[in-house]
Amino acid sequence: MNDRLEVELFDRPVGELAISGPLRSPEDWTFAYREDYLASDTPVALSVSLPLRAAPYAGASVRNWFCNLLPEGAVREAVSARLRIPDRDDFALLAAIGGECAGAVSIRAPDTAPIQRQDEETDLETLLYLQGSDAGEGSWALVGTPLRLSLAGAQDKIAVIAEPGGRLCLPRSDESSTHILKPDSRRFRGLRDLEALGLALARAIGLDAAHARPVEVANHPALLIERYDRTSGADGATLRLHQEDFCQALGYPGELKYEGQGGPGLVACSQLVRRLGLGPVAVQGLLDWVVFNALIGNADAHAKNLALLCDHKGRRRLAPLYDLVPTLVLPESLIDRAPALRIGTTQRIDDISADDWRMFARQTGYAPRFVLGRIAELADSLLAHLPSVGADIVTHGGNETRVQHATDIIMNNALRMLGKITHPGRG
Ligand SMILES: Nc1ncnc2c1ncn2[C@@H]1O[C@H](COP(=O)(O)OP(=O)(O)OP(=O)(O)O)[C@@H](O)[C@H]1O
Ligand SMILES: [Mg+2]
Protein backbone atom coordinates (compact mmCIF):
# COMPACT_ATOMS: atom_id res chain seq x y z
CA MET A 1 0.00 0.00 0.00
CA ASN A 2 1.30 3.47 -0.87
CA ASP A 3 1.87 5.71 2.09
CA ARG A 4 3.58 8.45 0.08
CA LEU A 5 2.03 10.34 -2.79
CA GLU A 6 3.39 12.96 -5.10
CA VAL A 7 1.29 16.10 -5.45
CA GLU A 8 1.39 18.12 -8.64
CA LEU A 9 -0.07 21.54 -9.33
CA PHE A 10 -0.19 22.86 -12.91
CA ASP A 11 1.85 19.75 -13.87
CA ARG A 12 4.71 20.75 -11.53
CA PRO A 13 5.64 18.51 -8.58
CA VAL A 14 4.93 20.67 -5.53
CA GLY A 15 5.27 18.35 -2.59
CA GLU A 16 4.71 15.07 -0.88
CA LEU A 17 1.59 13.86 0.89
CA ALA A 18 2.23 11.06 3.36
CA ILE A 19 0.53 9.01 6.03
CA SER A 20 2.14 7.06 8.83
CA GLY A 21 1.05 4.62 11.49
CA PRO A 22 -1.39 1.72 11.38
CA LEU A 23 -4.56 3.66 12.19
CA ARG A 24 -4.34 6.14 9.30
CA SER A 25 -6.22 8.73 11.32
CA PRO A 26 -6.30 12.51 10.62
CA GLU A 27 -3.29 13.23 12.83
CA ASP A 28 -1.18 10.79 10.78
CA TRP A 29 -1.31 12.91 7.61
CA THR A 30 1.58 15.18 6.56
CA PHE A 31 2.24 17.40 3.58
CA ALA A 32 5.54 19.14 2.79
CA TYR A 33 6.30 21.46 -0.10
CA ARG A 34 9.43 20.44 -2.03
CA GLU A 35 12.50 22.60 -1.56
CA ASP A 36 13.05 22.96 -5.30
CA TYR A 37 9.43 24.05 -5.74
CA LEU A 38 9.71 26.69 -3.02
CA ALA A 39 12.90 27.98 -4.67
CA SER A 40 11.40 28.03 -8.18
CA ASP A 41 9.90 30.98 -10.05
CA THR A 42 6.39 31.89 -8.84
CA PRO A 43 5.57 28.86 -6.70
CA VAL A 44 1.82 28.84 -6.01
CA ALA A 45 0.39 27.58 -2.71
CA LEU A 46 -1.99 24.61 -2.91
CA SER A 47 -4.38 26.45 -0.63
CA VAL A 48 -4.77 29.68 1.25
CA SER A 49 -4.98 27.36 4.29
CA LEU A 50 -1.58 25.80 3.40
CA PRO A 51 0.66 28.82 2.62
CA LEU A 52 4.10 28.16 1.10
CA ARG A 53 6.66 27.28 3.75
CA ALA A 54 9.57 24.91 4.27
CA ALA A 55 8.23 23.30 7.45
CA PRO A 56 5.90 20.34 6.85
CA TYR A 57 2.18 20.56 7.68
CA ALA A 58 0.73 17.79 9.81
CA GLY A 59 -2.64 16.56 11.00
CA ALA A 60 -6.16 17.76 10.32
CA SER A 61 -5.20 20.78 8.18
CA VAL A 62 -3.66 18.38 5.66
CA ARG A 63 -6.27 15.64 5.88
CA ASN A 64 -9.15 18.14 5.59
CA TRP A 65 -7.81 19.84 2.50
CA PHE A 66 -7.09 16.68 0.54
CA CYS A 67 -10.25 14.82 1.59
CA ASN A 68 -12.34 17.67 0.23
CA LEU A 69 -11.21 16.50 -3.22
CA LEU A 70 -13.05 13.18 -2.88
CA PRO A 71 -16.60 12.28 -3.89
CA GLU A 72 -19.12 12.05 -1.07
CA GLY A 73 -21.97 9.83 0.09
CA ALA A 74 -23.30 7.04 -2.08
CA VAL A 75 -21.00 7.93 -5.00
CA ARG A 76 -17.96 7.54 -2.81
CA GLU A 77 -19.26 4.23 -1.47
CA ALA A 78 -19.79 2.89 -5.00
CA VAL A 79 -16.29 3.93 -6.11
CA SER A 80 -14.63 2.52 -2.97
CA ALA A 81 -16.51 -0.76 -3.29
CA ARG A 82 -15.59 -1.15 -6.97
CA LEU A 83 -11.92 -0.43 -6.25
CA ARG A 84 -11.94 -2.60 -3.10
CA ILE A 85 -10.83 0.25 -0.90
CA PRO A 86 -11.85 0.12 2.76
CA ASP A 87 -14.79 2.46 3.42
CA ARG A 88 -13.01 5.05 5.50
CA ASP A 89 -9.55 4.97 3.97
CA ASP A 90 -9.41 8.48 2.46
CA PHE A 91 -5.70 8.21 1.72
CA ALA A 92 -6.06 5.01 -0.30
CA LEU A 93 -8.98 6.49 -2.22
CA LEU A 94 -6.93 9.59 -3.06
CA ALA A 95 -4.09 7.36 -4.21
CA ALA A 96 -6.51 5.50 -6.47
CA ILE A 97 -8.52 8.32 -8.04
CA GLY A 98 -6.60 11.54 -7.35
CA GLY A 99 -4.86 11.56 -10.76
CA GLU A 100 -7.11 14.38 -11.97
CA CYS A 101 -8.88 16.41 -9.32
CA ALA A 102 -10.93 19.59 -9.55
CA GLY A 103 -8.72 22.47 -10.62
CA ALA A 104 -5.10 21.73 -11.49
CA VAL A 105 -4.14 19.22 -8.79
CA SER A 106 -2.89 15.71 -9.51
CA ILE A 107 -2.00 13.15 -6.89
CA ARG A 108 -0.18 9.95 -7.74
CA ALA A 109 2.12 7.33 -6.31
CA PRO A 110 5.72 8.24 -7.17
CA ASP A 111 7.22 6.44 -10.17
CA THR A 112 3.88 5.14 -11.43
CA ALA A 113 2.66 5.98 -14.88
CA PRO A 114 -0.95 7.14 -15.14
CA ILE A 115 -3.29 4.13 -15.44
CA GLN A 116 -4.23 3.33 -19.02
CA ARG A 117 -7.62 1.81 -19.58
CA GLN A 118 -7.45 -1.53 -21.34
CA ASP A 119 -9.91 -0.81 -24.10
CA GLU A 120 -9.51 2.38 -26.04
CA GLU A 121 -13.22 3.10 -26.35
CA THR A 122 -13.80 6.68 -25.19
CA ASP A 123 -17.25 7.40 -26.61
CA LEU A 124 -19.38 7.97 -23.54
CA GLU A 125 -22.69 7.01 -25.14
CA THR A 126 -21.25 3.62 -26.14
CA LEU A 127 -19.72 3.05 -22.71
CA LEU A 128 -22.97 3.89 -20.97
CA TYR A 129 -24.96 1.58 -23.23
CA LEU A 130 -22.52 -1.23 -22.50
CA GLN A 131 -22.61 -0.66 -18.77
CA GLY A 132 -26.24 0.44 -18.44
CA SER A 133 -26.88 4.12 -17.90
CA ASP A 134 -28.94 3.56 -14.77
CA ALA A 135 -26.79 1.01 -12.98
CA GLY A 136 -27.15 2.69 -9.58
CA GLU A 137 -25.65 5.61 -7.66
CA GLY A 138 -22.07 6.31 -8.71
CA SER A 139 -22.38 4.32 -11.93
CA TRP A 140 -21.52 7.29 -14.14
CA ALA A 141 -18.53 8.15 -11.98
CA LEU A 142 -17.39 4.59 -12.54
CA VAL A 143 -17.67 4.56 -16.32
CA GLY A 144 -14.27 3.86 -17.74
CA THR A 145 -12.82 2.32 -14.58
CA PRO A 146 -10.04 2.09 -13.63
CA LEU A 147 -10.64 5.77 -13.25
CA ARG A 148 -8.08 8.25 -12.03
CA LEU A 149 -10.41 11.12 -11.65
CA SER A 150 -11.89 12.57 -8.49
CA LEU A 151 -14.66 15.17 -8.32
CA ALA A 152 -16.24 16.29 -5.06
CA GLY A 153 -19.96 16.37 -4.30
CA ALA A 154 -22.72 13.93 -3.47
CA GLN A 155 -24.29 13.80 -6.94
CA ASP A 156 -23.07 11.26 -9.46
CA LYS A 157 -20.92 12.91 -12.12
CA ILE A 158 -18.19 12.35 -14.64
CA ALA A 159 -15.63 14.64 -16.28
CA VAL A 160 -15.75 14.50 -20.07
CA ILE A 161 -14.52 16.17 -23.23
CA ALA A 162 -17.31 17.70 -25.31
CA GLU A 163 -16.17 17.63 -28.93
CA PRO A 164 -17.24 20.52 -31.18
CA GLY A 165 -19.71 18.22 -33.00
CA GLY A 166 -21.42 17.41 -29.69
CA ARG A 167 -19.94 13.94 -29.09
CA LEU A 168 -18.96 13.31 -25.45
CA CYS A 169 -15.77 11.37 -24.75
CA LEU A 170 -13.79 10.29 -21.75
CA PRO A 171 -10.42 12.05 -21.61
CA ARG A 172 -7.41 9.84 -22.28
CA SER A 173 -4.72 9.95 -19.61
CA ASP A 174 -2.86 12.83 -21.27
CA GLU A 175 -5.98 14.92 -21.91
CA SER A 176 -7.89 17.40 -19.73
CA SER A 177 -11.64 17.19 -19.46
CA THR A 178 -13.61 20.25 -20.56
CA HIS A 179 -17.05 19.56 -19.06
CA ILE A 180 -18.74 17.91 -16.08
CA LEU A 181 -21.69 15.67 -16.85
CA LYS A 182 -24.27 14.93 -14.13
CA PRO A 183 -27.00 12.36 -14.74
CA ASP A 184 -30.39 13.29 -13.38
CA SER A 185 -30.54 12.40 -9.70
CA ARG A 186 -31.89 8.97 -8.81
CA ARG A 187 -33.02 10.27 -5.42
CA PHE A 188 -34.59 13.54 -6.58
CA ARG A 189 -36.00 12.85 -10.07
CA GLY A 190 -35.94 16.06 -12.10
CA LEU A 191 -33.08 17.68 -10.17
CA ARG A 192 -31.34 18.05 -13.54
CA ASP A 193 -34.03 20.48 -14.70
CA LEU A 194 -33.87 22.43 -11.45
CA GLU A 195 -30.10 22.88 -11.63
CA ALA A 196 -30.33 23.82 -15.33
CA LEU A 197 -32.93 26.43 -14.40
CA GLY A 198 -30.90 27.81 -11.47
CA LEU A 199 -27.72 28.22 -13.52
CA ALA A 200 -29.48 29.69 -16.56
CA LEU A 201 -31.42 32.13 -14.41
CA ALA A 202 -28.24 33.34 -12.69
CA ARG A 203 -26.61 33.94 -16.05
CA ALA A 204 -29.71 35.66 -17.45
CA ILE A 205 -29.64 38.26 -14.67
CA GLY A 206 -25.97 38.96 -15.24
CA LEU A 207 -24.28 36.85 -12.55
CA ASP A 208 -21.09 34.98 -13.36
CA ALA A 209 -22.28 31.36 -13.26
CA ALA A 210 -21.20 28.16 -15.01
CA HIS A 211 -22.66 27.53 -18.48
CA ALA A 212 -24.79 24.40 -18.59
CA ARG A 213 -27.35 22.74 -20.83
CA PRO A 214 -29.67 19.79 -20.51
CA VAL A 215 -28.66 16.81 -22.66
CA GLU A 216 -29.79 13.24 -23.16
CA VAL A 217 -27.03 10.63 -22.99
CA ALA A 218 -27.76 6.93 -23.50
CA ASN A 219 -31.47 7.74 -23.08
CA HIS A 220 -30.83 9.31 -19.71
CA PRO A 221 -31.38 13.01 -18.90
CA ALA A 222 -28.20 14.74 -17.80
CA LEU A 223 -26.72 18.20 -17.33
CA LEU A 224 -23.62 19.12 -19.31
CA ILE A 225 -21.70 21.82 -17.44
CA GLU A 226 -18.77 23.71 -18.91
CA ARG A 227 -15.74 23.62 -16.61
CA TYR A 228 -14.77 27.09 -15.43
CA ASP A 229 -11.38 25.76 -14.26
CA ARG A 230 -10.25 25.29 -17.88
CA THR A 231 -9.10 27.93 -20.38
CA SER A 232 -7.65 27.79 -23.86
CA GLY A 233 -3.96 28.45 -24.44
CA ALA A 234 -2.63 30.38 -27.46
CA ASP A 235 -2.40 27.11 -29.45
CA GLY A 236 -5.97 26.15 -28.56
CA ALA A 237 -4.85 23.53 -26.03
CA THR A 238 -6.91 23.19 -22.83
CA LEU A 239 -5.13 24.71 -19.81
CA ARG A 240 -6.12 24.05 -16.21
CA LEU A 241 -6.82 26.66 -13.54
CA HIS A 242 -6.53 25.74 -9.87
CA GLN A 243 -9.54 25.88 -7.55
CA GLU A 244 -10.43 25.17 -3.97
CA ASP A 245 -13.80 25.36 -2.26
CA PHE A 246 -14.47 27.44 0.86
CA CYS A 247 -14.24 24.41 3.18
CA GLN A 248 -10.73 23.86 1.86
CA ALA A 249 -9.76 27.53 1.97
CA LEU A 250 -10.99 27.81 5.56
CA GLY A 251 -9.43 24.53 6.71
CA TYR A 252 -12.67 22.61 7.35
CA PRO A 253 -13.33 18.98 6.45
CA GLY A 254 -16.03 18.29 3.85
CA GLU A 255 -18.11 16.52 6.50
CA LEU A 256 -18.69 19.98 8.02
CA LYS A 257 -19.95 21.75 4.92
CA TYR A 258 -23.17 22.75 6.72
CA GLU A 259 -22.86 25.49 9.33
CA GLY A 260 -25.36 23.72 11.58
CA GLN A 261 -22.97 20.75 11.81
CA GLY A 262 -20.12 23.01 12.98
CA GLY A 263 -18.90 24.17 9.59
CA PRO A 264 -18.01 27.67 8.44
CA GLY A 265 -20.72 30.32 8.11
CA LEU A 266 -21.11 33.43 6.02
CA VAL A 267 -19.13 35.50 8.52
CA ALA A 268 -16.05 33.32 7.94
CA CYS A 269 -16.64 33.32 4.16
CA SER A 270 -16.87 37.10 3.95
CA GLN A 271 -13.87 37.57 6.25
CA LEU A 272 -11.87 35.30 3.95
CA VAL A 273 -12.81 37.22 0.81
CA ARG A 274 -11.82 40.48 2.51
CA ARG A 275 -8.64 39.11 4.13
CA LEU A 276 -7.41 37.81 0.78
CA GLY A 277 -7.98 41.25 -0.74
CA LEU A 278 -9.91 39.78 -3.65
CA GLY A 279 -11.45 43.19 -4.35
CA PRO A 280 -14.94 44.61 -4.83
CA VAL A 281 -15.99 42.15 -7.55
CA ALA A 282 -15.50 39.24 -5.16
CA VAL A 283 -17.08 41.07 -2.20
CA GLN A 284 -20.13 41.78 -4.34
CA GLY A 285 -19.98 38.25 -5.86
CA LEU A 286 -20.27 36.66 -2.42
CA LEU A 287 -23.28 38.82 -1.58
CA ASP A 288 -24.92 38.03 -4.93
CA TRP A 289 -24.41 34.29 -4.31
CA VAL A 290 -26.20 34.55 -0.95
CA VAL A 291 -29.03 36.72 -2.29
CA PHE A 292 -29.58 34.69 -5.45
CA ASN A 293 -29.76 31.43 -3.51
CA ALA A 294 -32.27 32.98 -1.12
CA LEU A 295 -34.39 34.26 -4.04
CA ILE A 296 -34.57 30.90 -5.82
CA GLY A 297 -34.98 29.03 -2.52
CA ASN A 298 -31.71 27.09 -2.45
CA ALA A 299 -31.23 25.80 1.10
CA ASP A 300 -28.20 23.76 0.02
CA ALA A 301 -25.77 26.63 -0.63
CA HIS A 302 -23.04 25.29 1.66
CA ALA A 303 -19.34 26.10 1.91
CA LYS A 304 -18.38 23.49 -0.71
CA ASN A 305 -20.66 25.18 -3.22
CA LEU A 306 -18.51 28.31 -3.32
CA ALA A 307 -14.93 28.31 -4.59
CA LEU A 308 -11.81 30.32 -5.32
CA LEU A 309 -10.07 30.11 -8.67
CA CYS A 310 -6.33 30.56 -8.95
CA ASP A 311 -4.17 30.96 -12.06
CA HIS A 312 -0.60 29.68 -12.51
CA LYS A 313 0.77 32.96 -11.15
CA GLY A 314 -1.19 32.58 -7.92
CA ARG A 315 -3.78 35.28 -8.73
CA ARG A 316 -7.02 34.40 -6.96
CA ARG A 317 -10.63 35.34 -7.61
CA LEU A 318 -14.08 34.07 -6.77
CA ALA A 319 -15.01 31.18 -9.07
CA PRO A 320 -18.16 31.44 -11.18
CA LEU A 321 -21.25 30.23 -9.31
CA TYR A 322 -22.22 26.56 -9.61
CA ASP A 323 -24.65 24.00 -8.12
CA LEU A 324 -27.48 26.56 -7.96
CA VAL A 325 -30.54 24.41 -7.22
CA PRO A 326 -33.94 25.73 -6.02
CA THR A 327 -34.30 23.03 -3.35
CA LEU A 328 -37.55 24.68 -2.21
CA VAL A 329 -39.18 22.99 -5.21
CA LEU A 330 -38.39 19.55 -3.72
CA PRO A 331 -40.73 18.08 -1.08
CA GLU A 332 -39.93 19.22 2.45
CA SER A 333 -40.00 15.57 3.52
CA LEU A 334 -36.87 15.05 1.39
CA ILE A 335 -34.85 18.20 1.95
CA ASP A 336 -34.47 20.55 4.88
CA ARG A 337 -35.65 24.16 4.52
CA ALA A 338 -33.04 25.67 6.87
CA PRO A 339 -30.37 27.58 4.91
CA ALA A 340 -27.07 25.65 4.80
CA LEU A 341 -25.32 28.85 5.92
CA ARG A 342 -27.28 30.99 8.38
CA ILE A 343 -28.92 34.26 7.34
CA GLY A 344 -29.92 36.13 10.50
CA THR A 345 -31.95 33.81 12.69
CA THR A 346 -34.30 32.32 10.11
CA GLN A 347 -34.94 28.59 10.06
CA ARG A 348 -36.48 28.69 6.61
CA ILE A 349 -35.08 29.71 3.24
CA ASP A 350 -38.63 30.80 2.26
CA ASP A 351 -39.08 33.01 5.31
CA ILE A 352 -36.17 35.45 5.55
CA SER A 353 -37.20 38.78 7.04
CA ALA A 354 -35.74 42.26 6.52
CA ASP A 355 -34.34 42.00 10.06
CA ASP A 356 -32.58 38.73 9.16
CA TRP A 357 -30.96 40.49 6.23
CA ARG A 358 -29.92 43.44 8.41
CA MET A 359 -28.35 41.06 10.93
CA PHE A 360 -26.57 39.22 8.10
CA ALA A 361 -25.29 42.56 6.75
CA ARG A 362 -23.96 43.73 10.11
CA GLN A 363 -22.24 40.40 10.78
CA THR A 364 -20.59 40.13 7.38
CA GLY A 365 -19.56 43.76 6.92
CA TYR A 366 -22.00 44.89 4.20
CA ALA A 367 -24.03 48.09 4.56
CA PRO A 368 -27.61 46.97 5.39
CA ARG A 369 -29.16 49.41 2.92
CA PHE A 370 -26.87 48.15 0.20
CA VAL A 371 -27.91 44.55 0.88
CA LEU A 372 -31.63 45.37 0.81
CA GLY A 373 -31.13 47.40 -2.37
CA ARG A 374 -29.30 44.53 -4.03
CA ILE A 375 -32.05 42.08 -3.08
CA ALA A 376 -34.64 44.33 -4.71
CA GLU A 377 -32.49 44.75 -7.81
CA LEU A 378 -31.81 41.04 -8.28
CA ALA A 379 -35.42 40.09 -7.46
CA ASP A 380 -36.77 42.51 -10.11
CA SER A 381 -34.38 41.17 -12.70
CA LEU A 382 -35.11 37.55 -11.77
CA LEU A 383 -38.88 38.08 -12.01
CA ALA A 384 -38.47 39.69 -15.42
CA HIS A 385 -36.33 36.84 -16.81
CA LEU A 386 -37.91 33.81 -15.14
CA PRO A 387 -40.63 33.03 -17.75
CA SER A 388 -38.30 33.12 -20.74
CA VAL A 389 -35.53 31.20 -18.98
CA GLY A 390 -38.04 28.51 -17.97
CA ALA A 391 -39.36 28.30 -21.54
CA ASP A 392 -35.84 27.95 -22.85
CA ILE A 393 -35.08 25.01 -20.52
CA VAL A 394 -38.24 23.28 -21.81
CA THR A 395 -37.20 23.91 -25.43
CA HIS A 396 -33.90 22.21 -24.61
CA GLY A 397 -35.50 19.08 -23.19
CA GLY A 398 -36.63 20.05 -19.68
CA ASN A 399 -39.92 18.58 -18.49
CA GLU A 400 -42.62 21.22 -19.04
CA THR A 401 -44.77 20.45 -15.98
CA ARG A 402 -41.76 20.29 -13.68
CA VAL A 403 -40.18 23.48 -14.99
CA GLN A 404 -43.51 25.34 -14.75
CA HIS A 405 -43.95 24.12 -11.17
CA ALA A 406 -40.40 25.28 -10.35
CA THR A 407 -40.82 28.72 -11.93
CA ASP A 408 -44.09 29.21 -10.00
CA ILE A 409 -42.38 28.41 -6.71
CA ILE A 410 -39.38 30.61 -7.46
CA MET A 411 -41.65 33.48 -8.53
CA ASN A 412 -43.70 33.27 -5.31
CA ASN A 413 -40.55 33.06 -3.22
CA ALA A 414 -38.95 36.09 -4.89
CA LEU A 415 -42.19 38.11 -4.65
CA ARG A 416 -42.52 37.22 -0.96
CA MET A 417 -38.96 38.31 -0.26
CA LEU A 418 -39.43 41.52 -2.18
CA GLY A 419 -42.58 42.19 -0.13
CA LYS A 420 -40.75 41.61 3.13
CA ILE A 421 -37.97 44.06 2.39
CA THR A 422 -40.18 46.75 0.90
CA HIS A 423 -43.07 46.40 3.41
CA PRO A 424 -41.36 44.88 6.44
CA GLY A 425 -44.51 45.31 8.58
CA ARG A 426 -46.54 42.84 6.55
CA GLY A 427 -45.14 39.59 7.96
N1 LIG B 1 -18.52 24.20 -13.81
C1 LIG B 1 -17.55 23.73 -13.04
N2 LIG B 1 -16.26 23.83 -13.40
C2 LIG B 1 -15.28 23.35 -12.62
N3 LIG B 1 -15.48 22.75 -11.43
C3 LIG B 1 -16.73 22.62 -11.02
C4 LIG B 1 -17.84 23.11 -11.77
N4 LIG B 1 -18.98 22.84 -11.10
C5 LIG B 1 -18.59 22.21 -9.97
N5 LIG B 1 -17.25 22.09 -9.91
C6 LIG B 1 -16.44 21.45 -8.87
O1 LIG B 1 -16.97 20.18 -8.62
C7 LIG B 1 -17.42 20.07 -7.27
C8 LIG B 1 -18.75 19.36 -7.22
O2 LIG B 1 -19.70 20.03 -8.04
P1 LIG B 1 -21.20 20.25 -7.58
O3 LIG B 1 -21.23 21.10 -6.38
O4 LIG B 1 -21.94 20.73 -8.77
O5 LIG B 1 -21.59 18.75 -7.23
P2 LIG B 1 -22.78 18.16 -6.37
O6 LIG B 1 -22.52 16.72 -6.29
O7 LIG B 1 -24.08 18.63 -6.95
O8 LIG B 1 -22.59 18.83 -4.96
P3 LIG B 1 -23.49 18.69 -3.64
O9 LIG B 1 -22.83 17.65 -2.82
O10 LIG B 1 -23.37 20.07 -3.08
O11 LIG B 1 -24.88 18.36 -4.11
C9 LIG B 1 -17.52 21.50 -6.76
O12 LIG B 1 -17.26 21.56 -5.40
C10 LIG B 1 -16.50 22.24 -7.58
O13 LIG B 1 -15.22 22.12 -6.97
MG1 LIG C 1 -22.11 20.91 -4.64
Side-chain angles (χ1 to χ4, degrees):
M1 199 182 310
N2 284 306
D3 54 9
R4 292 180 181 285
L5 300 171
E6 206 164 75
V7 181
E8 289 181 2
L9 182 62
F10 300 114
D11 297 320
R12 295 163 74 190
V14 297
E16 187 185 79
L17 178 67
I19 196 159
S20 59
L23 295 179
R24 300 164 84 80
S25 45
E27 53 275 23
D28 298 328
W29 291 60
T30 54
F31 171 75
Y33 286 106
R34 293 166 61 116
E35 269 173 44
D36 58 353
Y37 181 67
L38 292 171
S40 68
D41 279 350
T42 59
V44 174
L46 263 188
S47 167
V48 296
S49 66
L50 299 169
L52 295 169
R53 71 176 200 200
Y57 288 91
S61 61
V62 177
R63 185 260 167 199
N64 292 350
W65 195 85
F66 284 95
C67 288
N68 268 302
L69 299 170
L70 293 169
E72 299 156 57
V75 178
R76 176 188 165 132
E77 282 163 27
V79 173
S80 294
R82 166 63 185 83
L83 299 176
R84 298 197 178 137
I85 289 169
D87 260 1
R88 302 173 63 102
D89 197 339
D90 302 314
F91 196 89
L93 190 55
L94 266 176
I97 66 170
E100 188 182 349
C101 299
V105 178
S106 296
I107 298 168
R108 66 176 104 258
D111 309 321
T112 50
I115 298 170
Q116 298 285 351
R117 290 173 46 247
Q118 290 301 308
D119 66 90
E120 283 301 294
E121 180 58 79
T122 61
D123 181 70
L124 188 66
E125 189 101 18
T126 310
L127 288 165
L128 281 170
Y129 273 125
L130 292 175
Q131 178 199 272
S133 62
D134 209 0
E137 204 59 70
S139 59
W140 286 40
L142 280 168
V143 170
T145 299
L147 81 177
R148 48 183 291 274
L149 203 141
S150 179
L151 285 171
Q155 298 295 319
D156 199 0
K157 60 180 78 60
I158 182 167
V160 298
I161 294 178
E163 291 184 344
R167 203 168 76 110
L168 301 178
C169 295
L170 292 190
R172 293 177 197 278
S173 51
D174 56 344
E175 291 176 315
S176 285
S177 58
T178 58
H179 290 68
I180 293 173
L181 185 70
K182 286 184 182 177
D184 190 19
S185 167
R186 296 164 186 94
R187 183 153 172 246
F188 308 117
R189 288 283 167 196
L191 194 70
R192 187 280 303 257
D193 289 351
L194 301 185
E195 184 168 354
L197 183 64
L199 289 169
L201 196 53
R203 293 185 58 78
I205 68 171
L207 304 185
D208 184 15
H211 287 262
R213 63 185 169 90
V215 290
E216 190 91 6
V217 185
N219 285 334
H220 201 93
L223 189 65
L224 185 64
I225 310 162
E226 207 174 294
R227 295 195 69 144
Y228 54 68
D229 55 354
R230 301 289 181 261
T231 57
S232 287
D235 57 356
T238 303
L239 300 177
R240 300 199 282 171
L241 294 169
H242 181 38
Q243 67 165 319
E244 61 175 330
D245 65 48
F246 270 52
C247 270
Q248 290 178 298
L250 290 163
Y252 284 82
E255 302 90 274
L256 297 184
K257 62 188 182 184
Y258 295 104
E259 186 176 8
Q261 298 171 340
L266 289 167
V267 174
C269 294
S270 79
Q271 280 170 351
L272 179 72
V273 168
R274 291 167 205 273
R275 174 167 67 79
L276 294 175
L278 300 181
V281 173
V283 173
Q284 166 105 32
L286 174 65
L287 174 63
D288 286 351
W289 178 70
V290 178
V291 171
F292 182 77
N293 282 317
L295 286 169
I296 64 167
N298 180 9
D300 204 37
H302 51 66
K304 281 184 75 59
N305 279 339
L306 187 66
L308 298 172
L309 266 186
C310 172
D311 70 11
H312 66 286
K313 293 203 164 142
R315 291 174 293 215
R316 290 190 158 79
R317 64 184 170 92
L318 206 61
L321 309 187
Y322 57 92
D323 208 3
L324 303 172
V325 178
T327 62
L328 191 55
V329 177
L330 301 168
E332 193 165 352
S333 53
L334 293 183
I335 189 143
D336 203 64
R337 296 293 188 243
L341 305 182
R342 270 180 219 124
I343 300 170
T345 60
T346 187
Q347 288 303 313
R348 294 188 62 96
I349 193 77
D350 55 351
D351 187 21
I352 309 175
S353 67
D355 280 345
D356 287 320
W357 283 115
R358 284 192 200 93
M359 181 186 280
F360 155 81
R362 279 194 304 276
Q363 290 171 336
T364 51
Y366 294 94
R369 278 182 57 177
F370 178 71
V371 170
L372 295 179
R374 190 64 181 155
I375 295 170
E377 211 168 271
L378 290 182
D380 282 343
S381 184
L382 180 149
L383 289 166
H385 285 89
L386 190 53
S388 60
V389 173
D392 200 48
I393 299 291
V394 173
T395 308
H396 287 91
N399 175 285
E400 188 169 1
T401 312
R402 184 182 300 129
V403 172
Q404 185 60 52
H405 176 61
T407 53
D408 287 349
I409 289 182
I410 294 173
M411 181 147 328
N412 285 337
N413 191 54
L415 282 170
R416 191 169 42 225
M417 193 169 316
L418 207 47
K420 280 183 193 265
I421 62 161
T422 43
H423 308 288
R426 292 193 203 156

